[in-house]
Amino acid sequence: MPKILVIDDQPAVCVALTTLFELHGHEVRVAATPDEAMAAVLGDELGAVVQDMNFRQSATSGEEGMELLRRIKAVDPELPVVAMTAFTSIAGAVELIKAGASDYVPKPWDDQKLVATVGNLARLRALEQENARLLAQRGRARHRLAERHDLAGLVYASDAMHEVVSLAVKVAPADVPVLITGPNGTGKELLATIVQANSRRRDGPFVKVNAGALPDELVEAELFGAEPGAFTGATRLRAGRFEEADGGTLFLDEIGTLSLNGQKKLLRVLQTGEYQRLGSSVTRKADVRVLSATNRDLPRAIAEGSFREDLYFRLNVIELTIPALRDRPEDIAPIASHLLDRLAARAAGGERVTLGPRARHALAEHDWPGNVRELENRLTRAALVRKGETIEPHDLGLDAAARAPPAPIATGAAHAASSAPSAERLEIERALVEARGVVAKAAASLGLSRQGLYRRMDRLGIQIERKLK
Ligand SMILES: Nc1ncnc2c1ncn2[C@@H]1O[C@H](COP(=O)(O)OP(=O)(O)OP(=O)(O)O)[C@@H](O)[C@H]1O
């Protein structure tokens, strides 16, 4: 129980208050003069103070008490002080509160009220202190982690993310496969970068493959390479991704959508540590650490027969799961701020745009189906379309997102009756804006063919306005 300091020059009052607080489980310290009181405030762990306002028989103005209150508040502004006063005037009470008193009780006091008031204040202080201690502890832990490891620009404030990142840097030096799971755009590739950057292979190659985009007939050539003439059109020797990643790390993104044939080939190299180029009988050793990522529920895919269980166990020696952004709302504001810094660094004039209070509120309220990538897209869009100095909710497309669609920069009619822009729409719009409306360039940055991008634009009703050209 928190300790209470009782300050009164009358021994009878001190005895009465000591008995009262001790009866309710508090430890009590007593001071008869302002100097004794200050010695206790400076040297003891106190939960609350109950102080008289006059310390000499002749004094009645309360001046000495007011002076002591100010001295206490000057050294410990958070320490709750309850003044015991004969003041009944409103003016006196207001002055006390202004000077920092948490409350005041008249003399003679009501035992129950006094114990309740002081006890509540002391408990609140203990909670606040504990909170501050935990926050400081977490802040220190995050700081230490960032100091000792390369976090590749990943920003977070949540405990959930701290756990994931701590595990990532812990498993990084062990040469084991790591499977990174989590919804779209949560930072799986960024986390893979952290694992690689903190591994013993950090100076080796880091090769990334979108396993989901590998056409079945090219899986083998892509992963293991091909000799000239190995298949129609293979005119030159082609090194595979395992060969390129030799001595380093191979990151297989979208592993959940790798074809069954691709899974079989991958499993073999993971089991034996050996592979052959297509069209060659020479066996090569794979000195590669495999990291993989997926947003698919692999156990479910296994149950449905679309993912091999044996491959799952090979890839999933360690699993790192990144929570959806909506489940770690503390991360939204710091990531948004980081992304705005990044946008400013890339912008021609280097101007840093800020979020207006309504926009900040809208970000906190949004559900983030597209996670950090969606946040990135919305901020990029907002920085481009904003009219004022700060970003407003409608710039983000979050102006009552559920009620009406925002006016997109590249827009069409097809979606007009629909709800807020999807993450896909935002991503395409962003790519188009960055490519200044050049579809081929936007398609390349999205990893799509030009036709593929046109098809998506058609489906989403995105047309390019002249101003983008
Ligand atoms: N915590 C974070 N701090 C800073 N940037 C982040 C963070 N998380 C994600 N990002 C950024 O968001 C974008 C999307 O992240 P990333 O590509 O790593 O997600 P992903 O989960 O691999 O996406 P997908 O599921 O679509 O493959 C990237 O630009 C990345 O740098």
Side-chain angles (χ1 to χ4, degrees), residues 153-155 184-190 335 342 372-373 376:
L154 181 119
V155 174
N184 274 336
T186 41
K188 295 186 294 295
E189 182 170 342
L190 197 51
I335 297 178
R342 207 162 73 181
V372 183
R373 176 160 309 105
E376 199 175 13

Side-chain angles (χ1 to χ4, degrees), residues 201-224:
R201 295 171 179 263
R202 70 178 72 90
D203 297 322
F206 185 29
V207 176
K208 300 175 193 178
V209 183
N210 185 343
L214 290 181
D216 206 18
E217 63 280 9
L218 285 184
V219 168
E220 233 177 324
E222 185 71 19
L223 293 180
F224 309 127

Side-chain angles (χ1 to χ4, degrees), residues 153-156 161 182-191 251 253-254 293 295 322 328 331 335 338-339 342 372-373 376 430:
L154 181 119
V155 174
Y156 66 91
M161 220 38 211
N184 274 336
T186 41
K188 295 186 294 295
E189 182 170 342
L190 197 51
L191 197 66
F251 175 52
D253 202 0
E254 315 263 6
N295 54 22
I322 310 188
R328 44 186 171 107
D331 288 351
I335 297 178
H338 163 78
L339 293 173
R342 207 162 73 181
V372 183
R373 176 160 309 105
E376 199 175 13
R430 173 183 157 202

Side-chain angles (χ1 to χ4, degrees), residues 382-446:
L384 286 165
V385 302
R386 93 204 129 87
K387 297 212 171 61
E389 284 181 1
T390 54
I391 292 177
E392 294 301 325
H394 56 265
D395 299 328
L396 293 157
L398 288 175
D399 191 16
R403 268 188 279 125
I409 25 168
T411 187
H415 73 291
S418 73
S419 59
S422 65
E424 184 186 16
R425 156 179 294 279
L426 286 164
E427 190 163 8
I428 292 176
E429 284 182 357
R430 173 183 157 202
L432 284 168
V433 169
E434 281 180 352
R436 298 252 135 244
V438 181
V439 175
K441 203 164 154 199
S445 78
L446 290 165

Side-chain angles (χ1 to χ4, degrees), residues 7 14 20 24 32 54 80 84 90 149-150 187 193 208 223-224 234 251 259 269 282 291 301 318 322 397 419 428 438:
I7 315 170
C14 292
L20 177 66
H24 287 84
N54 297 294
M84 300 203 86
I90 299 280
H149 304 279
D150 179 351
T193 308
K208 300 175 193 178
L223 293 180
F224 309 127
F251 175 52
S259 66
V269 62
V282 179
L291 307 178
I318 298 288
I322 310 188
S419 59
I428 292 176
V438 181

